[in-house]
Amino acid sequence: MVQAMAERDYSPVAVVGMHGRFPNGADLSRFFESQLEGRDAIKTIPAERWDWRSIAGEPGENEDRSYSNCGGFISHADCFDARFFGILPREAESMDPQQRLFLQTAWSALEDAGHAPSALAGSKVGVFVGVGNADYPVLMRRDGVPIDAHRATGMALTSIANRVSFLLDLHGPSEAIDTACSSSLIAIHRAINAIHNGECEMAIAGGVNLLLGPELYIAFSKAGMLSRKGRCRTFDADCDGYVRGEGVGAILLCPLEIAARRGDHIYGVIRGSAENHGGRAHSFVAPNAPAQAEVIRSAWQRAGLSVGRASFIETHGTGTPLGDPIEINGLKTAIAGEPSAPDQKPIYLRALKSHVGHLEAAAGIAALISALMALNRGVVPGNLNHAKVNPHIDLDGTPFVISVVPVKLNQTDEAVPHLAGVSSFGFGGVNAHIVLQAHRAAPKQQRNSAQPRLIVLSAKNPAALRARAGQLLATVSEPVQVPGYERAMRALCGALGQPAEAHAETIKLMSLRLTPNALDKALARVGADLGAIVRFKDVRDCVTLGEVAERISACPSNQPAIISDEPPILACGVAVPSKRMAAASLDEIAFTLLEGRDHMRERLAIIAASKEELFARLSKFLDPKNTLTDRWLTGAPRSNEAPHPEDGSEGEGLLAWARWFVGARDARPRWQDLYDEPPPDRVPLPAYPFELTRIWYQKPVHAPLKVAAPSSALIVGDPSAESLVTLWHAAWEPSRERPSDGIIALARLSEHAFKACGGAVALNDLRFGPPAALSMAVPLSVRRNGSTLQCLQDSPAPHVLAEARLIGMVPANSCTLETLPGLPIDTAEFRQSLSRSGIALSASIEIPSGIEASADALLLPLDLVSDTDSPDTFWVRTLALATAGWQHLAGANGSAILHPYRIASLSYEPRHVRQASRLLVAQRGTGPVRIVCHDGRGAVALAIEGLQLRAATAVRTKVAP
């Protein structure tokens, strides 16, 4: 009995699925390739996180400052596809973004493994997630966000794991684990133990860490933990601390025996794991070398292997003067007790943190995923920021080697494939180590590749379905060449007439005084040289040439445009090398999509007898001019009656299956009727392309209320609305579309609020109804109920244009005068930019000369409003120019017209309207838009904060003359 238990405890566990988002990695392949290329992911704290300048400086006992202003960041940390998971926006706003991102990542890991999430409902699948810091609730308390019913579950760290188990109906253990920096590796260790103990059949394990506020930067600066040089210089003589980073990652685990029998794709095998605590050390945060040696030795003993057999060790490696030598001493102690081997090979020491920073609670999962990819590809990335070994580290007489360049692992015929160790040590003393082994797949049985197969795709909406089709085509077709950073840099310098010298990457775009049109043309030349798709709007948030080249180098040559502009969609690649994906059989692709995906409302079915035929049909589907055929069906219901097994899997029988799939309500058909036994293997295919919708709490505007208590449901008609609507219609040239009429509801809401309060007013949480054409003959009305205002028009039926909460009268405000870098845009270029979207301002709205532009902002001079002008003139002119401004910033390369659908806050001061002479329109990336109309001294007439945009089809196709 004891022997049987021991064998069960030490049985290998396979990693069959994984997904993550880390600095320098739009997907896991790019994450690893950036390491091979030696790309540094550390950058200055983005402005959308917080203003690091406001806390910059030396921390003191009574000075809350930080000397560190950089880190490793991921993009779109504030975005979440709440509708996909059926979570209401109000609840999603109260959820910690770490909870939201891990939920999406866990779903993606399941799909990567080829296991439909709904098929696991009710099963013993565990969820283990490492997490430590939570900045979001700190920000909400700081900004005085009112507590709602969702705050308790939204902020609880345990909900990061429990939310996954709840939504997917998983019945295994569900735990959030906080052991500081070792959290996610401990989570994986706990998941392995739960599988060995029979508590779960499979387990999702990983970690998440986001940097959303400055508090811990200040605390860690006061503790002297952070690097003043702004880099993790692991094992280097100049190391002086670590750099913070963020990321999220998850893997799917199951017993190796089951994974092999089931035909899962196996990324690697976990042979052993261990955890311990260092006990009493020099200080609470000081590491303990003997304890680290013991946890490493225990993990390898549990695996039944020698530490000396490792090809490399993914170290904890923070780059601290104290921690690095202690970790090396621990490794030396762990290997010292083993008999020396005459053929001892080098053991390379790796430090992922030198590339992406210290991801804290997510450091372990990032390191393990990176190590698995190194074993899969047979190459170990080098270390960055390493020039000279720390004098307190002595590697003489050991097999350990610190390499600064990628090292290719030698092919081996030994019984045991390449091995690696992954270490993670928490500052509170909890240590973890995991032993990984490369997996050698058994030879596959050849199947009849000429037999037609049914390939199915589905999504929640048409845009996501097209994205899924594009991702599949890009993943399983012949591998495309990705332009390297150096090649992209040379091509960019050539197109801009700059010498391709080492310092060229630091040149700021603004110093070249390029107009956006000139930069767009240069990028087109670069794209032609590299065979890649490069667009101005993809790089408009870049500051230096190096950042532009980095963005270009992430664009695969001839990759189809799989990400729609509206709604923006998250690209999702796979972690498997492109050559392996190109070798995937049609059988494997078809079976994985049939068995390994939940089938959603929007559906596509393709019948193909070869991969080439599949590629051709996918390309046609992505062509806007496509037409449907009998072998290519989309989700219009045809039959709710499932085909019979005797219908067969060829010819008309397969077509019956396709018709049934696109029209049936049942999402779990009898796919076994389409395949002989045994079924094909599963292959990693792109996971769901989630919609990038910014979801964030709404910051309240605190101001003294001076609003008389209104009667309920008071309706105020506005006969002058005819003038306002007429002016708005006249502002736009006849075209195929026009910006939404609903935007002029802002004018009526603001003017009504001003009349009610008698002074400068603020509106909060503005929401727009669907775009609709308004009648010039029917007045706009303002309905008021308590502090809620609605603007509507009653023809042909009552239609709410916008609603908002009236905060009340606020003190007169002012703004800091913006000074843009000064790239001029002439009026012809500005009009041309708008025309590419299909809209044009009429002669009644004069486009001013002297427009200044930066990568993310426009500053437009305004003519002063005369005494004879009505308020409508101000509103129409300002809103029309602001609309043109945000459309121009959106890139306007054939993109849809962007309509407002939500505004965080609006303040209005009519007394400054007649002096208003400048209009600022600013947007960082795809984030919210900021609009400020003020005079030359900074007095604000109109300020719109947190304007969110979406594309929508206009109801009216042309503007009335």
Side-chain angles (χ1 to χ4, degrees):
M1 182 64 159
V2 174
Q3 179 66 25
M5 181 66 74
E7 290 176 357
R8 187 182 71 179
D9 285 348
Y10 289 85
S11 59
V13 173
V15 179
V16 298
M18 61 186 188
H19 187 77
R21 292 168 59 189
F22 303 109
N24 255 9
D27 54 45
L28 291 184
S29 286
R30 192 65 201 143
F31 168 59
F32 189 74
E33 287 161 6
S34 69
Q35 298 174 51
L36 293 178
E37 295 169 5
R39 300 251 308 280
D40 189 346
I42 305 304
K43 62 182 180 181
T44 303
I45 296 169
E48 60 266 22
R49 299 302 176 96
W50 67 88
D51 181 8
W52 61 266
R53 296 176 181 83
S54 65
I55 60 167
E58 288 299 320
E61 185 176 346
N62 298 314
E63 286 288 327
D64 286 344
R65 297 191 175 278
S66 172
Y67 54 76
S68 176
N69 67 345
C70 55
F73 296 90
I74 64 174
S75 61
H76 306 298
D78 56 348
C79 294
F80 177 57
D81 197 341
R83 287 186 295 181
F84 178 89
F85 294 101
I87 298 174
L88 295 174
R90 291 289 190 192
E91 182 176 5
E93 287 176 4
S94 292
M95 291 169 60
D96 189 328
Q98 296 179 129
Q99 186 180 147
R100 306 189 311 222
L101 293 187
F102 189 80
L103 176 58
Q104 291 185 163
T105 302
W107 179 283
S108 299
L110 289 174
E111 288 201 332
D112 179 75
H115 290 277
S118 65
L120 302 177
S123 61
K124 293 171 63 177
V125 176
V127 181
F128 301 83
V129 55
V131 62
N133 308 319
D135 289 337
Y136 196 63
V138 176
L139 298 180
M140 296 181 82
R141 287 192 295 270
R142 180 199 68 188
D143 291 339
V145 179
I147 297 173
D148 62 14
H150 304 296
R151 181 77 67 88
T153 56
M155 297 299 109
L157 295 183
T158 187
S159 295
I160 296 178
N162 296 166
R163 181 80 66 171
V164 176
S165 301
F166 167 74
L167 286 174
L168 303 186
D169 192 19
L170 308 179
H171 290 202
S174 187
E175 303 175 13
I177 297 161
D178 181 7
T179 59
C181 316
S182 57
S183 296
S184 54
L185 213 62
I186 292 292
I188 297 168
H189 170 71
R190 301 279 175 84
I192 294 166
N193 286 345
I195 290 173
H196 287 155
N197 294 334
E199 296 172 355
C200 55
E201 301 155 0
M202 293 195 295
I204 300 166
V208 59
N209 189 62
L210 290 180
L211 313 179
L212 304 177
E215 283 75 12
L216 285 179
Y217 269 82
I218 295 170
F220 291 152
S221 290
K222 288 187 174 184
M225 295 180 177
L226 301 182
S227 169
R228 292 179 178 275
K229 297 182 177 71
R231 296 296 183 273
C232 289
R233 299 178 179 274
T234 309
F235 309 134
D236 190 73
D238 289 334
C239 67
D240 66 339
Y242 76 85
V243 179
R244 301 188 71 202
E246 64 182 15
V248 56
I251 57 176
L252 182 63
L253 302 169
C254 74
L256 175 61
E257 180 183 359
I258 294 176
R261 183 172 66 245
R262 195 167 50 197
D264 289 341
H265 175 80
I266 299 173
Y267 286 100
V269 180
I270 296 177
R271 292 292 305 272
S273 66
E275 71 165 308
N276 71 5
H277 191 280
R280 185 180 293 276
H282 178 69
S283 71
F284 179 67
V285 298
N288 184 315
Q292 292 183 4
E294 178 57 32
V295 78
I296 294 169
R297 195 158 40 220
S298 295
W300 285 84
Q301 286 175 352
R302 189 175 190 186
L305 298 164
S306 165
V307 182
R309 296 289 301 279
S311 296
F312 67 95
I313 302 289
E314 183 63 62
T315 66
H316 185 61
T318 54
T320 59
L322 176 66
D324 287 356
I326 288 178
E327 181 170 7
I328 294 296
N329 289 338
L331 281 167
K332 290 163 64 176
T333 302
I335 203 172
E338 299 179 349
S340 57
D343 59 343
Q344 176 67 60
K345 298 180 177 64
I347 301 176
Y348 297 99
L349 300 182
R350 260 274 293 162
L352 173 64
K353 293 177 181 64
S354 68
H355 292 258
V356 300
H358 185 1
L359 274 53
E360 298 167 347
I365 184 65
L368 185 131
I369 286 175
S370 179
L372 284 171
M373 298 183 76
L375 290 173
N376 268 274
R377 288 161 168 75
V379 59
V380 182
N383 296 286
L384 292 187
N385 312 313
H386 185 84
K388 183 180 179 181
V389 177
N390 187 322
H392 299 292
I393 294 175
D394 182 10
L395 298 180
D396 291 344
T398 74
F400 300 120
V401 176
I402 300 172
S403 177
V404 296
V405 296
V407 176
K408 195 165 186 177
L409 298 178
N410 296 327
Q411 296 295 324
T412 176
D413 295 326
E414 301 174 34
V416 179
H418 286 295
L419 298 163
V422 181
S423 290
S424 205
F425 309 133
F427 65 60
V430 179
N431 306 313
H433 189 83
I434 287 180
V435 180
L436 298 178
Q437 176 181 292
H439 177 68
R440 291 177 176 174
K444 295 183 179 180
Q445 175 184 353
Q446 295 297 319
R447 306 177 73 93
N448 179 11
S449 59
Q451 184 176 357
R453 290 301 184 196
L454 176 63
I455 291 86
V456 299
L457 291 171
S458 69
K460 296 277 182 135
N461 56 65
L465 182 63
R466 291 181 61 80
R468 294 208 94 159
Q471 290 183 158
L472 178 64
L473 177 61
T475 300
V476 300
S477 56
E478 288 300 318
V480 296
Q481 296 297 317
V482 178
Y485 175 79
E486 296 298 335
R487 185 178 169 215
M489 192 67 199
R490 288 194 299 271
L492 180 62
C493 288
L496 296 174
Q498 295 291 318
E501 299 173 353
H503 71 278
E505 63 182 15
T506 64
I507 296 175
K508 292 187 176 181
L509 281 173
M510 296 307 172
S511 68
L512 301 178
R513 303 192 64 81
L514 294 168
T515 66
N517 188 44
L519 180 57
D520 202 20
K521 291 179 179 178
L523 291 172
R525 290 196 294 273
V526 173
D529 292 343
L530 301 178
I533 299 173
V534 186
R535 300 170 297 182
F536 168 71
K537 65 180 180 180
D538 297 327
V539 302
R540 63 185 174 89
D541 59 333
C542 295
V543 176
T544 65
L545 291 187
E547 291 178 11
V548 176
E550 180 180 321
R551 199 70 58 85
I552 294 171
S553 66
C555 298
S557 306
N558 305 317
Q559 179 178 344
I562 61 174
I563 305 305
S564 66
D565 291 327
E566 198 59 45
I569 287 176
L570 179 67
C572 183
V574 295
V576 177
S578 56
K579 289 183 179 179
R580 167 66 181 91
M581 293 312 304
S585 70
L586 184 66
D587 272 1
E588 291 172 327
I589 296 168
F591 180 77
T592 300
L593 293 174
L594 289 167
E595 187 69 18
R597 297 291 184 270
D598 283 350
H599 303 300
M600 304 169 195
R601 181 180 60 212
E602 296 292 331
R603 300 186 182 185
L604 169 67
I606 293 176
I607 299 172
S610 66
K611 288 175 65 176
E612 291 71 24
E613 187 177 359
L614 170 62
F615 303 155
R617 295 192 183 282
L618 285 171
S619 297
K620 282 189 176 181
F621 174 72
L622 293 169
D623 184 346
K625 300 177 182 178
N626 68 66
T627 55
L628 301 182
T629 70
D630 277 346
R631 292 180 174 272
W632 170 20
L633 308 167
T634 55
R638 305 244 177 171
S639 171
N640 283 325
E641 192 172 327
H644 298 288
E646 57 266 24
D647 286 342
S649 59
E650 297 186 20
E652 290 300 318
L654 200 58
L655 186 57
W657 277 100
R659 286 175 173 161
W660 179 81
F661 170 76
V662 298
R665 295 180 180 178
D666 182 6
R668 305 303 310 171
R670 303 185 308 269
W671 301 125
Q672 61 269 26
D673 295 336
L674 297 178
Y675 288 93
D676 300 326
E677 291 292 339
D681 291 345
R682 291 175 170 87
V683 292
L685 295 174
Y688 192 84
F690 292 110
E691 185 174 322
L692 290 171
T693 301
R694 187 178 192 272
I695 294 182
W696 207 255
Y697 64 81
Q698 299 300 308
K699 184 177 178 180
V701 178
H702 298 288
L705 288 176
K706 293 183 66 176
V707 182
S711 60
S712 178
L714 174 67
I715 303 291
V716 180
D718 190 347
S720 67
E722 179 178 353
S723 170
L724 178 62
V725 176
T726 301
L727 286 171
W728 181 254
H729 286 189
W732 303 96
E733 293 286 356
S735 58
R736 57 181 170 86
E737 287 188 51
R738 173 181 74 234
S740 171
D741 288 354
I743 192 174
I744 62 175
L746 293 179
R748 282 300 164 262
L749 291 176
S750 301
E751 292 291 344
H752 174 78
F754 170 70
K755 292 174 183 177
C757 297
V761 294
L763 301 176
N764 194 23
D765 195 16
L766 293 96
R767 298 169 185 258
F768 291 84
L774 302 183
S775 169
M776 292 180 286
V778 179
L780 298 179
S781 296
V782 176
R783 172 189 295 155
R784 186 158 145 214
N785 190 354
S787 62
T788 300
L789 300 179
Q790 287 185 329
C791 182
L792 63 157
Q793 192 171 54
D794 295 328
S795 176
H799 173 70
V800 176
L801 305 175
E803 68 175 15
R805 287 192 294 129
L806 174 59
I807 300 300
M809 192 173 77
V810 297
N813 56 353
S814 62
C815 69
T816 302
L817 296 181
E818 291 80 6
T819 302
L820 296 187
L823 290 183
I825 298 180
D826 60 36
T827 56
E829 182 180 349
F830 190 70
R831 287 188 182 275
Q832 185 179 12
S833 170
L834 297 180
S835 68
R836 289 198 290 267
S837 295
I839 59 175
L841 285 166
S842 70
S844 65
I845 302 295
E846 183 178 352
I847 297 179
S849 59
I851 301 174
E852 297 178 51
S854 69
D856 50 20
L858 285 175
L859 192 59
L860 299 90
L862 299 176
D863 293 332
L864 295 178
V865 177
S866 70
D867 293 336
T868 58
D869 287 334
S870 69
D872 289 348
T873 303
F874 165 76
W875 281 106
V876 170
R877 179 190 62 170
T878 303
L879 293 177
L881 286 174
T883 303
W886 75 55
Q887 194 69 41
H888 175 83
L889 289 175
N893 290 326
S895 61
I897 297 177
L898 299 177
H899 302 301
Y901 75 98
R902 193 168 185 179
I903 293 175
S905 65
L906 178 151
S907 60
Y908 172 52
E909 173 52 278
R911 287 176 298 181
H912 298 321
V913 164
R914 301 198 183 283
Q915 288 76 41
S917 59
R918 294 154 69 91
L919 177 66
L920 174 74
V921 183
Q923 182 183 31
R924 287 189 175 274
T926 58
V929 175
R930 177 176 181 241
I931 298 170
V932 180
C933 183
H934 60 86
D935 65 14
R937 295 168 296 179
V940 173
L942 174 68
I944 297 175
E945 302 286 350
L947 166 60
Q948 299 178 45
L949 303 170
R950 277 185 178 169
T953 302
V955 174
R956 194 183 184 96
T957 58
K958 68 177 183 177
V959 180

